[in-house]
Amino acid sequence: MKVLVIGPGGREHALIRSLAADPYVTDLHCAPGNAGISSEVTTHDIDAQDPAAVVALATDLESDLVVVGPEAPLAAGVADALLIAGIPVFGPTQGAAQLEASKAFAKKVMAEAEVPTAMAKVATNTREAADALDAFGAPYVVKDDGLAAGKGVVVTSDRAEALAHAETCFEAGGTVVIEEFLDGPEVSLFVICDGTHAVPLAPAQDFKRIFDNDEGPNTGGMGAYSPLPWLPTGFVDEVMERVAYPTLRDMDSRGTPFTGVLYCGLAITTRGIRVIEFNARFGDPETQAVLARLKTPLGGLLLAAAKGELDEAEQLHWHPETAVGVVMAAENYPENPVKGAVIHGLEQAESLEGVSVLHAGTSVNAAGETVVAGGRVLAVVGLGADLHAARAKAYAGIAAISWDGAQHRTDIALKAANGQIKLSEGTH
Ligand code: AMP
Ligand code: GLY
């Protein structure tokens, strides 16, 4: 099977590694990729958000399957164009990707499908925003309605800051969604969907804030681990019954059946499971941790989803180890990442047993050196017998790698390793 992966990041590097390990995948390409991906497969420098360019490349390569990683090409209609050209694609159409591209749309679907989520109000001006903030009270949650790479959300107890974020969104011509605050630990569950059927992957936890102890601004994600030993039994089944299947049925009945990853961003609150957000793709960096444990060949699974044949797919098998992934980010990420620094120690880190290094924002300079080319630069994944062992592997990898201004969190999966994640009474 010939597979083309679309995207430039760490998630795509993880997809490439897993697809390369699938014996049925004979030919693997990526567009545009990054320095790590291009050292493993052929990469193609096209505009991945241009549907015609993606169709032309997939036709040229005679791809049997195109896997779209990021949200932007999905929202731009890349999957629609591939379907029209008769090329199997893993990833939702533009209409179905609205579940991520518009938070207001996602809320409408959740209301129709009776999926548990935070109460929310849409505001289009300062007056409406102020009324909504006062209706819910502190802590305040204000979300930009469009795609914002995980950075359009402000959670704060400062009413003036909440209102200022809403005003920034209005000035940019947008609307905002203001929500009740959800307390409790967060879980990311990736559900592979073929429009009708669905198969969950192992749950993961992401670390959104830039600094240790969940301080500082939100980022795309600074680390992740999987599986989650503290989850109540039956958690995944409950999410499938109350969230994934009702959402799939609603999307189908709207004429926009969902194929791809339904990424359920969940909070386990004192009142039970709530959806924080849907995404229409694999999460980054959770994918780097989740796929490190998947034994089942990935290409066959994604092709079955693309063809609407997930009901015939074999049951998933997982390595028993735990995976912890820690992101290394550029100086000044997330505000204004500094690019160009030369990265040292990559080979040394990769040579450590149980450690893999997945590239995100990297490129190769004129001298042939691997350099920083984006905000999140690498994810270093450790596999170990438990969370402590996996953390030790990941941080040993991190210690081998350096560049000027590199930053990472030191507490990824630490609370879970120490048994400090507590679920309140009544959540299970
Ligand atoms: P989102 O882009 O909707 O995933 O939001 C990014 C992050 O903001 C989430 O991962 C949460 O940590 C936080 N967040 C979003 N919505 C809420 C909410 N209603 N209550 C508490 N935290 C939230
Ligand atoms: N890690 C969060 C996301 O991919 O949106």
Side-chain angles (χ1 to χ4, degrees):
M1 164 166 54
K2 298 179 181 177
V3 184
L4 169 63
V5 175
I6 300 297
R11 159 186 48 217
E12 288 76 29
H13 199 181
L15 288 165
I16 292 279
R17 287 260 174 107
S18 293
L19 289 166
D22 181 335
Y24 289 100
V25 175
T26 48
D27 191 46
L28 196 49
H29 292 256
C30 188
N34 56 38
I37 293 173
S38 66
S39 71
E40 293 167 31
V41 302
T42 308
T43 54
H44 303 266
D45 194 14
I46 61 160
D47 177 0
Q49 287 174 51
D50 175 357
V54 175
V55 169
L57 178 62
T59 305
D60 205 31
L61 295 172
E62 300 179 338
S63 304
D64 300 303
L65 174 67
V66 178
V67 178
V68 183
E71 59 273 30
L74 296 167
V78 163
D80 308 61
L82 288 162
L83 288 172
I84 289 167
I87 301 168
V89 54
F90 182 79
T93 59
Q94 194 171 40
Q98 285 299 302
L99 266 187
E100 170 166 5
S102 166
K103 289 184 188 289
F105 175 79
K107 283 289 184 192
K108 206 188 305 173
V109 170
M110 284 189 263
E112 277 173 13
E114 296 182 11
V115 168
T117 184
M119 286 185 293
K121 291 177 194 283
V122 177
T124 55
N125 58 50
T126 306
R127 171 84 194 279
E128 285 172 9
D131 287 348
L133 291 174
D134 294 334
F136 292 127
Y140 304 103
V141 181
V142 181
K143 302 186 175 187
D144 191 345
D145 184 41
L147 287 177
K151 294 172 216 156
V153 179
V154 165
V155 181
T156 175
S157 292
D158 181 345
R159 187 176 179 282
E161 187 190 347
L163 206 53
H165 180 58
E167 277 167 358
T168 310
C169 298
F170 298 144
E171 278 157 23
T175 59
V176 300
V177 175
I178 292 176
E179 289 189 1
E180 73 173 312
F181 178 78
L182 299 175
D183 59 335
E186 289 179 34
V187 179
S188 303
L189 185 72
F190 303 155
V191 182
I192 308 287
C193 302
D194 72 358
T196 316
H197 313 101
V199 175
L201 300 186
Q205 191 172 44
D206 179 23
F207 292 75
K208 289 247 162 65
R209 304 282 186 137
I210 183 78
F211 300 128
D212 282 4
N213 298 316
D214 298 326
E215 284 172 14
N218 267 324
T219 69
M222 292 299 289
Y225 65 96
S226 178
L228 312 181
W230 47 267
L231 275 181
T233 45
F235 173 83
V236 172
D237 291 342
E238 186 178 345
V239 176
M240 295 303 286
E241 291 314 316
R242 296 185 63 201
V243 177
Y245 281 117
T247 301
L248 281 187
R249 285 193 289 268
D250 190 81
M251 292 299 284
D252 198 20
S253 72
R254 287 170 163 267
T256 49
F258 190 93
T259 299
V261 178
L262 178 63
Y263 167 142
C264 304
L266 305 150
I268 307 183
T269 75
T270 42
R271 285 176 295 151
I273 293 170
R274 296 284 184 279
V275 174
I276 293 185
E277 63 164 345
F278 282 135
N279 292 318
R281 52 169 175 86
F282 284 104
D284 187 337
E286 297 99 310
T287 301
Q288 291 87 316
V290 170
L291 292 186
R293 298 184 57 248
L294 183 66
K295 261 194 208 165
T296 303
L298 183 67
L301 177 67
L302 301 188
L303 184 65
K307 290 190 162 175
E309 295 168 357
L310 263 190
D311 52 331
E312 293 164 27
E314 62 165 314
Q315 210 196 324
L316 299 186
H317 295 283
W318 299 90
H319 291 289
E321 289 95 342
T322 290
V324 172
V326 181
V327 168
M328 297 183 78
E331 181 175 9
N332 263 335
Y333 176 74
E335 281 80 22
N336 192 12
V338 179
K339 299 177 187 171
V342 177
I343 305 171
H344 304 282
L346 288 168
E347 284 177 17
Q348 199 189 330
E350 275 276 18
S351 71
L352 299 172
E353 194 253 315
V355 176
S356 51
V357 180
L358 299 162
H359 288 231
T362 63
S363 64
V364 177
N365 68 11
E369 298 160 316
T370 305
V371 297
V372 171
R376 291 186 295 169
V377 181
L378 304 167
V380 181
V381 179
L383 268 181
D386 59 17
L387 281 167
H388 283 295
R391 271 175 49 79
K393 295 278 185 197
Y395 283 106
I398 295 256
I401 300 172
S402 62
W403 70 83
D404 287 345
Q407 46 170 340
H408 66 269
R409 281 182 60 160
T410 67
D411 65 345
I412 301 302
L414 183 60
K415 273 193 191 149
N418 289 336
Q420 289 167 337
I421 299 188
K422 295 275 180 279
L423 299 173
S424 344
E425 292 289 318
T427 57
H428 52 105

